[in-house]
Amino acid sequence: MAIGTDSAGAPVRSRRSGYMTRRAVLGAAVAGGAGVAAFRLLGLAKPATTALNQALGGATDWISPLGTERAQVQQLLRRATFGAGPAELEKALGDGYAKTVQRLVETPAAKPPPLPGAETAAKGSPIRVAQLQKWWLDHMLTSPSPFAERMTLFWHGHFTSDYRKVGLQSPYVYWQNLTWRDNALGDFRSFLYQVTTDPGMLRYLDLGTSTGRSPNENYSRELMELFTMGAGSFSEDDVRAAAKALAGWREPQPQESAKTGVFDPRRAYSGGPVTFLGKTAKFDTKAVLDQVLAQTATAPFVVRRVLINFALPNPSDATVNRLAAGFVKSKWSIRQLMHDVFSSDEFKAAASYRSLVKQPVEFMVHALRAVGGESLGQVALQHGSGMGQILFDPPDVGGWPLNEAWISSNTVMARVNFVTSLVQAAKNLPVSAEAHVQHLDGVLSPATATLLNAASSDQERWTLVLASPEFQLK
């Protein structure tokens, strides 16, 4: 069965000559040295980096299919659930878009199985990072609440810490993952308190060693700059004041049952009122967070980060401010915010179609689920570093990069190599005849369609679908 291009009965919606599109950019990177010989047929000689700059100008060679509910559902599943297998897609299409949104956001986060050895980590048996990473990846692949798991990944990149500084001699980095999941769809106010008092965060940003006599400013700065308000929304005096007000927390001791930080009043600031974000008072931790949430910059900052991850690479101020107003009105309900995002006209607008780039973890989990490879998580662990994303090890306190930052000739090459390894490791590949419809919406570039038409086996077709430029986008 031919898939078709414009010259052969294509489902390609439209072409505009003279533009190098996102798909052509990624195709150029693939063609630059793919392990799959067929990709060299793309013949796109322009260097990938130059082509990327042109592509990000917004040129496309298709017409968005988001006028149809089917395409809307498929986009929702790509962005909210790491993609879907055939059964999940069929259920969502049967339910329709609105009901699927409701089901996803209302399903409570499923608890993962305990990480073996985590609770004895402080007694001389450190957590093994590879085991920790595979534990989470396996849960992403099998969780009955994939949206909550996708949100856990989002918060992992927002409220950032890493296993290198937090360490593996304690279960803190594991506990933090559990805490982020528990709060992933709760209220942002409560979540901020859990973040502030989380033992891993206390260690990562040094709040656990901060005292009233010697306040450490690391957490107070990142709380405002990276977690809630954004640069330019506060002063250095605010950083110093918050550091004083937040001082007094320490990590729990092994003999203590608490899995959160412990507040010791003897370590707290006793110098009286401070002036923080325009208010003079005797602040404690909750008062600091309340004052942060009272700032007009906070809701738009968080909403913009959500939109860039799930909806649009460059959301307008009007869109951000409208959703931010709803976020505040809902008393900071993350669940309501995500419902509003997915129900918005902007999420389903033509401009949003394939406007985001899958993070490496999203890409690998979707690929594994597509071919029924839920038991092949080890293949993903072996390839993640080449794509630039290692779970529990973000590059810095700013978290993971976004969208086009994931794409270079080297990282796209790593994606193709992962697909090659995955397809070879999968013993029982599904029939590939509808793979391009289920996972690419049937909307293909002429180059991809030509290669798929020439493919002669399920293995080759799955390789082409999963390594295609279209599959890298969401």
Side-chain angles (χ1 to χ4, degrees):
M1 177 184 68
I3 290 173
T5 67
D6 352 334
S7 60
V12 177
R13 307 300 196 229
S14 172
R15 290 184 66 188
R16 298 177 188 172
S17 60
Y19 292 96
M20 181 71 79
T21 69
R22 283 186 180 83
R23 293 191 305 282
V25 170
L26 299 179
V30 171
V36 182
F39 275 94
R40 298 194 182 101
L41 298 175
L42 285 171
L44 300 171
K46 183 169 284 194
T49 51
T50 301
L52 178 60
N53 291 330
Q54 294 179 345
L56 294 178
T60 63
D61 63 359
W62 69 75
I63 293 174
S64 164
L66 290 179
T68 68
E69 187 172 44
R70 179 186 179 92
Q72 293 171 10
V73 168
Q74 289 181 282
Q75 174 166 283
L76 175 68
L77 296 178
R78 281 194 297 274
R79 295 180 176 188
T81 73
F82 304 103
E88 294 165 286
L89 176 58
E90 183 178 356
K91 174 175 175 49
L93 292 173
D95 288 344
Y97 187 83
K99 187 174 179 180
T100 299
V101 168
Q102 192 73 11
R103 172 170 56 82
L104 291 177
V105 301
E106 293 298 332
T107 301
K111 293 187 179 299
L115 175 69
E119 300 307 324
T120 60
K123 300 177 182 178
S125 302
I127 292 172
R128 290 184 294 139
V129 67
Q131 184 182 34
L132 177 69
Q133 290 163 338
K134 189 170 186 302
W135 165 82
W136 190 12
L137 190 68
D138 286 345
H139 191 57
M140 291 182 195
L141 286 164
T142 60
S143 173
S145 57
F147 173 57
E149 212 55 37
R150 173 66 185 89
M151 289 300 295
T152 305
L153 179 64
F154 167 72
W155 293 120
H156 175 54
H158 185 78
F159 296 126
T160 304
S161 66
D162 67 64
Y163 78 87
R164 296 178 188 276
K165 183 170 181 180
V166 175
L168 299 171
Q169 296 291 338
S170 72
Y172 292 173
V173 69
Y174 165 66
W175 287 355
Q176 185 179 89
N177 183 269
L178 299 179
T179 300
W180 280 203
R181 183 176 295 102
D182 287 344
N183 288 272
L185 291 168
D187 76 272
F188 191 68
R189 185 186 303 274
S190 298
F191 197 177
L192 267 185
Y193 187 82
Q194 295 297 322
V195 169
T196 304
T197 61
D198 171 73
M201 189 64 74
L202 290 177
R203 184 176 293 179
Y204 183 66
L205 288 177
D206 307 303
L207 186 58
T209 59
S210 182
T211 67
R213 289 179 177 272
S214 182
N216 187 293
E217 298 175 1
N218 286 350
Y219 183 76
S220 66
R221 183 182 306 280
E222 307 309 354
L223 168 67
M224 291 183 281
E225 182 170 337
L226 295 177
F227 296 169
T228 59
M229 294 168 56
S233 300
F234 58 92
S235 69
E236 289 301 307
D237 286 342
D238 293 321
V239 172
R240 287 188 283 271
K244 292 175 183 177
L246 292 168
W249 291 96
R250 65 167 174 80
E251 299 171 16
Q253 298 301 308
Q255 68 272 19
E256 295 173 325
S257 60
K259 292 187 178 181
T260 63
V262 176
F263 187 76
D264 184 347
R266 296 169 299 178
R267 295 161 51 90
Y269 179 69
S270 58
V274 298
T275 300
F276 175 57
L277 295 173
K279 180 179 179 179
T280 301
K282 192 170 182 180
F283 284 90
D284 61 9
T285 300
K286 287 187 177 180
V288 166
L289 300 180
D290 285 344
Q291 185 67 355
V292 167
L293 292 174
Q295 304 307 299
T296 58
T298 301
F301 178 82
V302 176
V303 167
R304 191 177 297 275
R305 287 295 299 268
V306 166
L307 287 170
I308 292 172
N309 272 269
F310 289 92
L312 296 163
N314 297 294
S316 70
D317 289 344
T319 298
V320 170
N321 291 335
R322 187 188 79 247
L323 291 167
F327 191 25
V328 174
K329 185 178 180 180
S330 73
K331 298 183 179 179
W332 301 92
S333 168
I334 300 167
R335 177 174 278 106
Q336 185 61 51
L337 170 61
M338 298 312 298
H339 185 280
D340 291 347
V341 168
F342 295 144
S343 301
S344 68
D345 291 340
E346 290 88 345
F347 186 84
K348 295 177 280 188
S352 78
Y353 187 64
R354 288 181 180 166
S355 62
L356 307 178
V357 178
K358 289 175 185 169
Q359 299 176 67
V361 168
E362 292 178 280
F363 158 69
M364 292 189 291
V365 173
H366 188 175
L368 285 159
R369 287 160 62 89
V371 299
E374 286 83 359
S375 64
L376 298 175
Q378 190 62 40
V379 178
L381 293 180
Q382 293 167 354
H383 287 268
S385 61
M387 302 178 208
Q389 188 171 37
I390 303 173
L391 293 174
F392 299 100
D393 194 20
D396 54 46
V397 70
W400 304 110
L402 297 170
N403 295 319
E404 67 269 17
W406 289 116
I407 298 300
S408 70
S409 57
N410 288 336
T411 58
V412 173
M413 186 64 238
R415 291 180 182 227
V416 175
N417 287 338
F418 162 73
V419 170
T420 303
S421 297
L422 172 60
V423 172
Q424 290 174 347
K427 296 185 188 232
N428 297 300
L429 284 171
V431 174
S432 63
E434 295 298 311
H436 66 289
V437 176
Q438 293 173 347
H439 302 286
L440 306 180
D441 303 331
V443 180
L444 312 176
S445 69
T448 299
T450 298
L451 289 171
L452 283 171
N453 280 333
S456 59
S457 67
D458 283 331
Q459 188 176 52
E460 187 175 356
R461 286 174 62 85
W462 274 114
T463 300
L464 291 167
V465 166
L466 301 180
S468 70
E470 291 89 335
F471 192 79
Q472 316 312 308
L473 305 174
K474 59 180 181 177

